[in-house]
Amino acid sequence: MIKTPYTVTADIAKYEGETFNPTPNRAYLAQKKLEIEKLNKHLGHTLLDAFPLVEELSRYCKLEKTNDIRQIATQLEEDVAILYNGRLVSMCFCFPSGFNPSEKVGKTFMEMHAPVADRQKLDRASDKVVEMISKPGALFRRYVWTLTTSSELSRHPMYKQYEPKVTTVHNLYFRKETQTTVGYGDGRTTFFFVKVEVEPFTKLSDEMQSYRDWE
């Protein structure tokens, strides 16, 4: 997951396992529902012709049939999105990492990553990546991580959150996104599942325990 030096690449890998957690944590779901109550339409959107695909997503997740992607997102730990013919057609991210999810819908895979720094490698690989992840049954996983002084799961820009300077490892956090994709249907559709986790830096591993008393 962690590579040094850090670079932005299309570093997806084939994956075998669950696309989403079938037994989600209730406290985590409660936090997602709270975000929906506060920001609602600013967390996602669905294009008019994509409602049938949302219904297919609910069926894939073995949930009650719905064309409201927010209902799906609040029943899973993972945030969800749908890519069709290389374009984002539906999305609900309760815990976005510094962007407004509703503004992403309608954009191509390349356009979605436009704000990402050092994204040239992503641009060059975008068409190939879309083709790979859209193949029926294709399952891939990718990790994105950063260090932050914010312990909040949501980094939605509407919150205008303040991140204090790093003064000690005790106020440093490891923010991780586990991104899982599955190709669905006729080879033009991809379901995205993104789980956000934030952990204190000092709890990352046994090796980090030695830093607990460092100031």
Side-chain angles (χ1 to χ4, degrees):
M1 181 194 314
I2 300 175
K3 301 176 183 178
T4 56
Y6 177 79
T7 57
V8 177
T9 61
D11 52 351
I12 63 174
K14 289 185 178 180
Y15 169 70
E16 294 183 3
E18 299 282 3
T19 50
F20 58 91
N21 183 0
T23 56
N25 179 279
R26 291 185 179 181
Y28 195 91
L29 296 187
Q31 182 62 37
K32 294 188 78 173
K33 290 178 180 179
L34 182 61
E35 293 298 321
I36 290 290
E37 291 175 2
K38 290 190 292 185
L39 298 184
N40 200 350
K41 63 180 181 179
H42 298 288
L43 296 180
H45 179 61
T46 298
L47 299 183
L48 288 176
D49 57 355
F51 288 120
L53 292 175
V54 177
E55 292 181 358
E56 289 296 323
L57 176 59
S58 67
R59 183 179 295 109
Y60 175 84
C61 296
K62 295 181 173 60
L63 301 174
E64 184 175 344
K65 184 177 179 181
T66 179
N67 63 12
D68 186 348
I69 199 165
R70 294 169 299 179
Q71 291 186 18
I72 299 174
T74 52
Q75 294 181 74
L76 304 175
E77 288 185 347
E78 293 76 12
D79 285 332
V80 290
I82 303 174
L83 195 72
Y84 182 73
N85 279 342
R87 186 176 298 275
L88 185 67
V89 297
S90 183
M91 182 183 208
C92 182
F93 272 33
C94 297
F95 302 136
S97 297
F99 62 92
N100 188 331
S102 62
E103 297 176 354
K104 296 287 186 179
V105 177
K107 294 185 177 182
T108 64
F109 186 80
M110 184 183 295
E111 291 169 342
M112 284 189 294
H113 295 94
V116 177
D118 189 30
R119 78 179 205 280
Q120 291 81 4
K121 291 182 180 179
L122 284 176
D123 288 351
R124 290 194 294 270
S126 61
D127 289 343
K128 183 178 180 180
V129 169
V130 170
E131 181 182 353
M132 288 172 53
I133 64 178
S134 299
K135 291 181 179 179
L139 195 58
F140 289 92
R141 175 159 283 187
R142 178 174 183 257
Y143 298 97
V144 177
W145 62 271
T146 188
L147 293 177
T148 175
T149 52
S150 172
S151 62
E152 299 296 327
L153 285 166
S154 176
R155 301 297 294 158
H156 198 291
M158 288 189 66
Y159 284 136
K160 298 180 181 180
Q161 294 165 332
Y162 168 71
E163 288 195 38
K165 293 181 179 179
V166 179
T167 57
T168 168
V169 292
H170 295 288
N171 75 331
L172 192 61
Y173 296 87
F174 183 78
R175 182 183 179 89
K176 179 184 73 172
E177 289 187 12
T178 301
Q179 304 178 352
T180 307
T181 65
V182 59
Y184 184 84
D186 58 3
R188 293 183 291 177
T189 304
T190 306
F191 294 153
F192 281 78
F193 299 87
V194 180
K195 171 67 182 293
V196 176
E197 298 171 271
V198 180
E199 293 286 344
F201 184 64
T202 53
K203 292 183 179 180
L204 288 180
S205 67
D206 292 339
E207 289 80 5
M208 291 306 304
Q209 300 306 314
S210 61
Y211 289 96
R212 280 187 169 279
D213 298 322
W214 178 76
E215 295 289 347

